[in-house]
Amino acid sequence: MLKEKYVCVSCQTHFNTIPQRWRCQCGSPLNLAWEKPKFSKEHIRHDLSGMWRYANALPFHPNDSVWEEITMGEGHTPLVPLSKEDPHTFVKVDYMMPTLSFKDRGAAVLIAKAKEWGVKKVVADSSGNAGTSIAAYAKRARIDCDIFLGAGTSPKKVAQIKAHGAHIRMVNGTREDVAKAAQMAVQQEDTFYASHVFNPYFFEGTKTYAYEIWEQINKVPDTLIIPVGNGTLLLGVYQGFCELMAQGLTPTLPKIIAVQAENCAPLAQAFHQQRIEIETVQNRGTIAEGIAIAAPARSKQILQAIKETNGYIVTANEQEIIEAHTALAAKGFYVEPTTAANYVAYMKHQKTEQELIVLPLCGSGLKTERS
């Protein structure tokens, strides 16, 4: 058995890793601490094409094959030059996943762990993509699934979640209201909270983004540009590169540049005011629905990760996102608006001549109404 424990990000209280525990008694999120084995390129499973090629760096016993029942080949997505004119800038095409978004990385690990624990039903809340991923992998694992969504969720994402057999529970209100409704249901129904924000096993999946870049280019990029709402990808990537550095496989951490929609930017506001505590903002409405989070639960961790890598936060207004969406499509990449915000940040970044930059294409444009 692996020696795993949850550790509160605020008060450092330790807990056993059990299905019923999803946050600390103080209300803060939990990190996962476990004894990681030695990892190097010799430990990569080259017989596997997806992210489970790094199974030795994931929190499962070496003889545990539960993930083999659940994987759909997620991960190890293409890393390609943005264009001929930008030879040192690469995009990682993470919408080339089973459910068309990077969230499959985290969902595959989280649902595999739920299956290992014998969980019969999961509950999750989402703005769309995470709900789709949880629904798809839960169905594959034969686990019942309820997904809480806001009434304004993209109809295409709602249809995708329904197609995977999940029970959709619509909530009128903000993204925070949706999360609260899901959490109340978890408590009342004594079910497993498959949260892509609170459950640290999700981040064990998104960290594979970093492992893949390390393997694909055999070095650390100078800069990563990442959209951030709840920090699901940013924190996973930060964790992944920290692990690689701890293993002596990379000498440094890449600079992390985060991007938020101008109409909902609590992290950007705190960063520019040099605060580590955010103030909840009002979501004034943005087409970048995937990052429209007014009060991210892991805000301190997000801000610390950005600062520790000497990074910064950029905001993108609605017109800039629309123009970026069009510009990426002209380069052959049809993405959802949340991903287009990435390109806004890239255009605003004052890059050096040889700076190696990677930005994710997080979700397919087919998931949203914008065309």
Side-chain angles (χ1 to χ4, degrees):
M1 296 291 292
L2 287 177
K3 293 183 178 179
E4 305 170 56
K5 60 186 176 183
Y6 287 144
V7 182
C8 176
V9 302
S10 297
C11 66
Q12 303 303 304
T13 301
H14 291 194
F15 301 94
N16 292 330
T17 54
I18 57 175
Q20 297 79 11
R21 172 66 61 185
W22 59 271
R23 65 180 172 186
C24 180
Q25 293 163 344
C26 74
S28 297
L30 304 169
N31 286 337
L32 178 68
W34 62 287
E35 293 184 5
K36 299 177 179 66
K38 178 67 178 176
F39 184 84
S40 67
K41 287 196 172 178
E42 285 68 40
H43 295 103
I44 296 174
R45 289 278 304 275
H46 292 285
D47 58 314
L48 299 176
S49 60
M51 73 180 201
W52 294 98
R53 63 201 284 112
Y54 314 113
N56 198 61
L58 297 173
F60 296 92
H61 190 278
N63 297 325
D64 189 346
S65 61
V66 66
W67 61 266
E68 294 178 3
E69 307 171 35
I70 294 165
T71 181
M72 293 187 279
E74 58 286 334
H76 217 249
T77 52
L79 186 68
V80 299
L82 176 63
S83 66
K84 184 178 179 180
E85 294 74 31
D86 297 287
H88 301 294
T89 299
F90 292 81
V91 291
K92 190 152 176 57
V93 194
D94 254 25
Y95 61 71
M96 291 181 65
M97 294 273 196
T99 76
L100 307 182
S101 92
F102 82 92
K103 292 290 197 338
D104 288 357
R105 296 182 183 277
V109 171
L110 178 54
I111 295 300
K113 182 58 66 170
K115 183 73 171 179
E116 180 187 87
W117 283 339
V119 169
K120 302 301 182 185
K121 178 182 177 180
V122 300
V123 169
D125 54 271
S126 172
S127 61
N129 285 340
T132 300
S133 291
I134 293 294
Y137 285 92
K139 187 67 173 180
R140 192 168 177 85
R142 302 181 188 89
I143 296 174
D144 291 337
C145 178
D146 285 4
I147 302 294
F148 284 72
L149 299 170
T153 303
S154 166
K156 292 184 178 180
K157 293 179 180 178
V158 174
Q160 192 177 7
I161 293 169
K162 283 184 179 178
H164 292 309
H167 177 215
I168 293 177
R169 298 168 72 166
M170 283 292 186
V171 177
N172 288 317
T174 66
R175 180 64 183 85
E176 289 65 39
D177 293 330
V178 176
K180 289 176 182 176
Q183 291 162 13
M184 184 176 295
V186 167
Q187 183 177 355
Q188 293 174 343
E189 301 168 21
D190 194 26
T191 49
F192 179 81
Y193 190 26
S195 171
H196 62 290
V197 180
F198 279 92
N199 198 302
Y201 283 100
F202 202 96
F203 297 90
E204 292 290 329
T206 57
K207 78 180 185 185
T208 60
Y209 180 92
Y211 280 75
E212 289 175 18
I213 292 174
W214 161 74
E215 183 188 358
Q216 288 170 319
I217 64 176
N218 200 33
K219 65 187 331 185
V220 180
D222 296 305
T223 304
L224 299 174
I225 300 176
I226 303 175
V228 61
N230 274 312
T232 312
L233 182 58
L234 186 149
L235 290 175
V237 170
Y238 174 73
Q239 177 180 326
F241 276 110
C242 284
E243 289 181 6
L244 290 168
M245 191 164 71
Q247 293 275 13
L249 299 172
T250 61
T252 58
L253 296 174
K255 175 189 292 185
I256 294 177
I257 299 174
V259 58
Q260 292 209 284
E262 186 177 288
N263 283 356
C264 188
L267 293 163
Q269 183 182 87
F271 182 86
H272 293 300
Q273 293 176 357
Q274 299 184 337
R275 292 186 284 106
I276 60 170
E277 296 277 359
I278 65 159
E279 294 178 357
T280 301
V281 300
Q282 181 180 1
N283 178 5
R284 292 181 283 133
T286 174
I287 57 174
E289 62 181 357
I291 52 175
I293 308 299
R298 294 183 181 266
S299 58
K300 285 185 181 179
Q301 289 177 274
I302 296 168
L303 291 167
Q304 287 169 354
I306 295 168
K307 290 178 180 179
E308 286 178 20
T309 63
N310 295 314
Y312 60 91
I313 304 182
V314 177
T315 59
N317 66 40
E318 299 303 288
Q319 185 59 36
E320 289 171 333
I321 294 171
I322 291 170
E323 292 172 359
H325 185 272
T326 301
L328 282 172
K331 295 179 184 296
F333 304 108
Y334 189 62
V335 301
E336 59 180 333
T338 299
T339 285
N342 258 358
Y343 192 64
V344 175
Y346 170 68
M347 296 303 293
K348 290 183 177 182
H349 177 57
Q350 299 295 314
K351 63 181 183 296
T352 60
E353 187 175 349
Q354 298 296 317
E355 185 177 359
L356 180 58
I357 301 172
V358 177
L359 53 154
L361 303 184
C362 300
S364 169
L366 297 175
K367 286 172 158 283
T368 59
E369 292 304 294
R370 178 171 173 73
S371 61

